[in-house]
Amino acid sequence: MSAETPVCQLLERQGTDYRGWLWVAPPRDAWLEHGEGRLLSADEAVLAAWRARGRPAHSPFEGVDPAPPGAVLFWPKSHALGEWWLLWLCAHLPPGTPLQLVGENQGGIKRVLKALAALGLGCRKLDSARRCGLYATRLDRVGIDPDEAWTTFEAAGIRLVSHPGVFGHGKLDDGTRLLLEQLPACLAQEPAAVGQVLDLGCGDGILAAWLARRGARVTAVDVGHFAVEATRRTLAANDLEGEVLASDVYTALGERRFDAIVSNPPFHQERAIDYGPAGRLILEAPDHLHPGGQLILVANAFLPYPDLLERAFGAFDILADDRRFRVYRAIKG
Ligand SMILES: C[S@@+](CC[C@H](N)C(=O)[O-])C[C@H]1O[C@@H](n2cnc3c(N)ncnc32)[C@H](O)[C@@H]1O
């Protein structure tokens, strides 16, 4: 099985014996998934793919093998999130554990030199090819608690807890704001009648918290474990209750149905046959709604969601359009 992604192709040509190593935040790649070692990832879709192959896979919120022979950190696009992973590895793995850091030049892998130097960790360049770089260091205790990366801010009267890598880190999205403006008119006025509502792609939990405050019995899901943790913390910070699950679109929900599904769905490059998570969210929504239940979502006005909504529901309304964003509502007959 050959490596598929440029970062894994760079790793594949190293002489390192990676048996038992921890792969931290990697992309989907068959070479890794058929190979050796354990996965540490905050992406539920990647975790599920490894578990489906019977491979050991954990999120950082579940703990990890305390002493792997080494770890490879795939540097994420968000530099702040890369720094968090670095602090987490320093705090959880034994000092002296070999760490390799790999990433694309475009994704800012060269910035790891500064990040490592700031923590007093040495750094050696191992290789570069396919527009990627590979660096090596050894972990050490650096005395900074990775939990310090959690931040809080206020928006729409809600105290939001966020983390690097979580959507909208530190501010309310304009699309979400437009969606929130439409929600009161869509939901029952009596809190007890709002019913069971699914927030799909919950991010920092802004919609889940708003809905719970309004009286909804909320289930919130996100593919990102940082988002799941952020939403749990947001609900707790506002003394609100709700169920929060890691889920790739509807996968963790089985056959469950709701009175409403509310979402600012993830933007995804449209491909010919696969519309990505947002396409699955819309096309499978009727299977997860009670009769009369509604899907309410906001999206960039240029996205081809009207076609998908028509295919899934037969008809839909546009509740708001500020030229950048549109809020759609479709009701299951
Ligand atoms: C545009 S953000 C909206 C976040 C939040 N609801 C808000 O309004 O600020 C979309 C969210 O969908 C999540 N997401 C992306 N792919 C997903 C998938 N396959 N299944 C579930 N959630 C997904 C992202 O992690 C992100 O938190």
Side-chain angles (χ1 to χ4, degrees):
M1 188 66 58
S2 298
E4 298 166 326
T5 53
V7 276
C8 287
Q9 285 163 352
L10 184 58
L11 292 165
E12 190 181 27
R13 69 184 213 167
Q14 306 305 311
T16 313
D17 177 0
Y18 287 119
R19 273 176 299 177
W21 279 46
L22 194 60
W23 303 106
V24 184
R28 293 286 319 267
D29 192 295
W31 175 71
L32 285 181
E33 287 167 25
H34 287 85
E36 301 278 352
R38 306 166 162 269
L39 172 70
L40 182 68
S41 173
D43 185 322
E44 183 59 23
V46 181
L47 286 161
W50 280 60
R51 287 179 183 142
R53 296 196 176 284
R55 301 284 310 279
H58 298 279
S59 101
F61 302 104
E62 294 168 332
V64 69
D65 173 4
V72 178
L73 171 58
F74 293 76
W75 198 255
K77 281 197 196 104
S78 156
H79 190 68
L81 182 57
E83 288 177 328
W84 182 88
W85 277 115
L86 205 46
L87 292 177
W88 192 95
L89 292 167
C90 284
H92 288 83
L93 301 189
T97 303
L99 174 71
Q100 295 185 1
L101 304 101
V102 69
E104 299 195 11
N105 296 339
Q106 248 189 350
I109 182 64
K110 290 181 184 155
R111 293 169 72 189
V112 303
L113 291 165
K114 264 194 182 165
L116 290 168
L119 296 176
L121 301 175
C123 182
R124 197 158 54 89
K125 183 170 179 177
L126 291 180
D127 199 0
S128 63
R130 306 199 57 79
R131 299 199 179 92
C132 297
L134 178 64
Y135 298 85
T137 186
R138 279 183 187 273
L139 293 171
D140 203 353
R141 295 282 178 258
V142 293
I144 306 176
D145 183 355
D147 252 15
E148 286 176 16
W150 289 100
T151 50
T152 54
F153 68 104
E154 287 272 322
I158 291 164
R159 188 154 181 244
L160 294 162
V161 184
S162 195
H163 191 275
V166 174
F167 174 82
H169 182 50
K171 63 178 172 32
L172 179 60
D173 177 63
D174 290 340
T176 302
R177 188 189 304 279
L178 191 66
L179 176 61
L180 284 174
E181 285 165 10
Q182 312 314 311
L183 285 182
C186 299
L187 302 175
Q189 301 309 305
E190 261 310 297
V194 176
Q196 189 96 43
V197 182
L198 173 64
D199 171 5
L200 208 159
C202 53
D204 57 21
I206 172 76
L207 295 172
W210 189 96
L211 289 159
R213 183 168 281 174
R214 181 88 192 186
R217 296 190 305 283
V218 172
T219 297
V221 302
D222 201 289
V223 78
H225 282 247
F226 291 109
V228 168
E229 184 63 20
T231 296
R232 287 191 180 131
R233 291 183 185 218
T234 289
L235 289 171
N238 294 278
D239 288 324
L240 295 167
E241 290 194 357
E243 174 189 36
V244 192
L245 303 171
S247 180
D248 180 7
V249 194
Y250 298 106
T251 47
L253 297 169
E255 317 250 291
R256 286 174 61 185
R257 288 173 192 264
F258 299 86
D259 298 304
I261 300 171
V262 176
S263 185
N264 177 354
F267 175 75
H268 191 271
Q269 289 297 338
E270 185 197 337
R271 280 179 271 149
I273 41 166
D274 172 10
Y275 287 93
R280 280 154 56 208
L281 184 161
I282 295 171
L283 293 173
E284 295 170 29
D287 298 337
H288 293 279
L289 286 170
H290 296 300
Q294 50 183 336
L295 170 65
I296 308 163
L297 58 86
V298 64
N300 281 96
F302 66 84
L303 289 169
Y305 295 166
D307 291 353
L308 293 172
L309 287 163
E310 198 139 310
R311 252 169 70 192
F313 289 88
F316 64 89
D317 291 318
I318 295 176
L319 302 181
D321 184 344
D322 71 2
R323 295 183 174 207
R324 263 180 81 205
F325 296 103
R326 268 190 208 152
V327 179
Y328 298 98
R329 171 155 77 157
I331 299 179
K332 181 173 166 168

